[in-house]
Amino acid sequence: MDQRLPIDQKASLLMLLLCSVWAMQQVLLKATTPDFSPTLQLALRSGIGGALVMLFVLLRGQRFDLKNGTLLPGLAAGFLFSFEFFLVSISVQLTSAAHLVVFLYTAPIFAALGLAYFIPNERLKKLQWFGIALAFVGIAIAFGGGADQKSMSNIILGDLLALLAGASWGATTVVVRATKLSQAPATQTLLYQLIACFVLLLGVAWITGDMRFNPTPLVLGSLFFQAVIVSFISFLVWFWLLKTYLASRLGVFSFLTPLLGVVLSSVLLDEQISERFIGGALLVVSGITLVSAHSFIIQLVQGSKKEAEG
């Protein structure tokens, strides 16, 4: 029997807050790009977040066992996590924050495809296949949406890199779920990713000479938000929710982050959102929701049928 709870008011409010936080990170990354190298910012946020997670673990008296078979998959997950944010650091300089957040959050689509291949009991249902098809139609429509001829090539490249980042995120999920990492403490899995991202992206920033850092109030505020709120607090809250509540119910909120990201990008960055992009984004978000929350949707439909028959 699954002892996890159905979604209550507290979980709903926490998920709304988390989705808002996750949507805001791309907006801040875009807003601070002129004064703060995105590669350096993502490296430093991972390093600070990793240090906070390590401190949290030590205060709780936990220990990491590197002989439990998690080292190699942990390194693989760390590389994929780093590659995801390397792509994000380039994408954010080419396309809008709204485009970035929508294409990045296609990750559940790629994760579902990978898990279906590697884990037999994760085979996709018809509703999920429909969701995947719907999402890819939306991607095709949204690609480069709203770009003028002068900026079209940059925006399309930025969109493509954001989509590849989503695929890398999805691959990270597959590695975590299909290896010994699935049995490791969530903090250990998170540390593998944060430490690898810090080391690799800091190396990339140093080698490329992209180390710009102008400590304006916005830049310092963004670094605090990215490192403490996103990389530390939000992930710990998310892992607690996954342990406490039914994952299928939490998946219902999967549509919120990209939608909030588009709204925040338009309001805070004054980005122009084209009708074509909005249409494609809605299809993408609908597809993601069908894939992530399919079991809840099926239960909801079955429950409605029973009530109608009764």
Side-chain angles (χ1 to χ4, degrees):
M1 292 288 292
D2 193 338
Q3 300 301 312
R4 291 179 175 85
L5 304 173
I7 296 296
D8 54 22
Q9 186 178 25
K10 180 169 74 171
S12 298
L13 290 174
L14 282 174
M15 280 304 303
L16 179 60
L17 183 59
L18 284 182
C19 290
S20 301
V21 166
W22 293 336
M24 190 66 185
Q25 59 181 322
Q26 278 76 36
V27 175
L28 282 174
L29 195 64
K30 181 74 174 181
T32 55
T33 293
D35 293 307
F36 199 179
S37 158
T39 309
L40 180 60
Q41 181 170 182
L42 291 169
L44 293 179
R45 89 162 194 176
S46 297
I48 296 171
L52 291 172
V53 172
M54 180 65 77
L55 180 61
F56 175 78
V57 168
L58 291 175
L59 289 175
R60 296 188 66 186
Q62 295 179 348
R63 297 182 64 184
F64 291 136
D65 182 7
L66 296 179
K67 298 179 181 180
N68 60 1
T70 63
L71 182 57
L72 288 179
L75 292 175
F79 173 79
L80 288 168
F81 184 79
S82 305
F83 186 58
E84 171 200 339
F85 283 107
F86 170 68
L87 294 172
V88 166
S89 71
I90 303 174
S91 173
V92 74
Q93 301 177 71
L94 298 172
T95 191
S96 67
H99 283 219
L100 172 58
V101 71
V102 168
F103 290 121
L104 178 61
Y105 277 85
T106 58
I109 301 296
F110 296 104
L113 289 170
L115 289 171
Y117 181 81
F118 287 103
I119 303 178
N121 62 2
E122 292 279 357
R123 289 175 182 170
L124 295 169
K125 308 297 189 294
K126 291 180 180 178
L127 185 63
Q128 289 177 296
W129 280 116
F130 177 71
I132 289 172
L134 198 65
F136 278 110
V137 169
I139 289 169
I141 294 173
F143 242 73
D148 53 38
Q149 290 298 321
K150 186 178 179 180
S151 59
M152 177 67 79
S153 59
N154 278 347
I155 289 181
I156 289 179
L157 177 58
D159 289 356
L160 177 60
L161 292 175
L163 184 63
L164 290 175
S168 185
W169 184 2
T172 305
T173 302
V174 174
V175 170
V176 171
R177 290 283 304 279
T179 66
K180 291 285 188 179
L181 286 174
S182 63
Q183 302 167 19
T187 47
Q188 183 173 4
T189 301
L190 180 58
L191 266 179
Y192 278 130
Q193 297 174 67
L194 292 176
I195 292 172
C197 193
F198 170 65
V199 173
L200 293 176
L201 290 194
L202 187 61
V204 169
W206 182 74
I207 290 171
T208 60
D210 190 13
M211 299 284 286
R212 67 183 179 278
F213 176 66
N214 179 22
T216 65
L218 179 61
V219 162
L220 295 177
S222 176
L223 182 58
F224 175 84
F225 178 84
Q226 302 275 8
V228 179
I229 306 300
V230 176
S231 293
F232 177 57
I233 296 176
S234 79
F235 286 141
L236 290 181
V237 172
W238 171 242
F239 288 132
W240 176 79
L241 285 169
L242 285 177
K243 286 185 176 182
T244 308
Y245 297 94
L246 294 170
S248 61
R249 303 295 197 272
L250 295 174
V252 174
F253 291 86
S254 58
F255 71 95
L256 280 176
T257 301
L259 287 183
L260 287 171
V262 171
V263 173
L264 290 173
S265 299
S266 177
V267 173
L268 299 179
L269 300 179
D270 199 27
E271 291 183 350
Q272 299 300 310
I273 312 297
S274 70
E275 292 181 0
R276 171 185 162 185
F277 177 74
I278 291 174
L282 288 174
L283 290 178
V284 171
V285 169
S286 299
I288 293 169
T289 304
L290 290 177
V291 170
S292 301
H294 69 284
S295 58
F296 174 73
I297 294 171
I298 290 174
Q299 291 174 7
L300 195 63
V301 171
Q302 290 175 342
S304 299
K305 285 184 178 179
K306 288 181 180 179
E307 286 185 7
E309 291 172 356

